[in-house]
Amino acid sequence: MEPQTADTTKSPSPSPLPSSSPSPLPSPSQPPCPSPSQAAPGPLASFVRFVVCGGGVGVLSSLAVPMVAMTLPWAVANAVITVVSTLLCTELHALFTFGTGRRAGLRRHLQSSGSAAAAYAMTSAAVFLLHTAQSAPTLLTEQAVYLTASAMTGVGRFLVLRLYVFTTTRAPHPAIHRTTLPRPLLPRPAVSTAC
């Protein structure tokens, strides 16, 4: 019986690329996936964040309006505080509430100004009706009316901001199928003489 010998006719396994060769570029048809920390929050999470940010700024605004109204007419004081609080809230909503990962920018500030104008009109109308019904309402009553009107406009404002201003959905583009060809490996001298 003859001893078995190793088959020398098999081709050797391909050797890995040398470490000095450049690594292939990522395929342009496969965009990098965002990490979970960069993903936009869902509707419930963004609403909770909206309430925390908007509610916190709203409470501060409700305290600031009467103080500013001591030196200015109430409607003017409300307008000033509404503008300042809207700028602050828009930045907070861009960075935290809707998770865009960048500051709001001029376009989004202008888009959110419509909902702020509606909030201003509703809070002003609510306090005007209060002053019409009572000639001298207490500060607590004024705060309750102001915060109630702010809460009512807040829900509508959340929907406008989420669906139109800070929306992350885009119209789907038709799929483009690209074929990735292997890159030819050139020896270093050939590359250096070609350049």
Side-chain angles (χ1 to χ4, degrees):
M1 202 159 119
E2 294 182 5
Q4 292 182 345
T5 59
D7 186 10
T8 57
T9 59
K10 287 185 181 176
S11 63
S13 63
S15 62
L17 293 175
S19 60
S20 63
S21 67
S23 62
L25 296 173
S27 171
S29 63
Q30 297 175 352
C33 297
S35 66
S37 63
Q38 294 175 340
L44 183 60
S46 60
F47 183 74
V48 170
R49 293 177 180 192
F50 178 82
V51 169
V52 169
C53 292
V57 173
V59 169
L60 292 176
S61 298
S62 71
L63 298 173
V65 169
M67 293 180 2
V68 176
M70 293 178 188
T71 57
L72 297 172
W74 194 93
V76 175
N78 189 24
V80 169
I81 297 302
T82 299
V83 167
V84 171
S85 65
T86 300
L87 292 173
L88 177 60
C89 277
T90 303
E91 289 294 332
L92 288 173
H93 294 325
L95 295 172
F96 180 68
T97 303
F98 300 107
T100 62
R102 59 183 184 273
R103 294 188 61 187
L106 181 62
R107 181 181 63 84
R108 286 184 169 153
H109 277 292
L110 291 175
Q111 287 176 333
S112 69
S113 64
S115 62
Y120 168 74
M122 189 159 184
T123 54
S124 294
V127 173
F128 175 76
L129 290 174
L130 172 66
H131 283 276
T132 303
Q134 297 180 7
S135 58
T138 64
L139 181 62
L140 184 61
T141 304
E142 193 174 77
Q143 291 299 305
V145 169
Y146 180 83
L147 288 175
T148 302
S150 294
M152 291 171 64
T153 58
V155 174
R157 189 157 189 253
F158 170 77
L159 293 174
V160 168
L161 292 178
R162 178 162 179 87
L163 298 176
Y164 299 107
V165 178
F166 294 106
T167 183
T168 55
T169 59
R170 306 217 184 279
H173 295 289
I176 298 173
H177 299 287
R178 296 180 183 159
T179 304
T180 305
L181 299 175
R183 294 175 55 193
L185 295 176
L186 298 176
R188 266 190 199 277
V191 173
S192 62
T193 58
C195 297

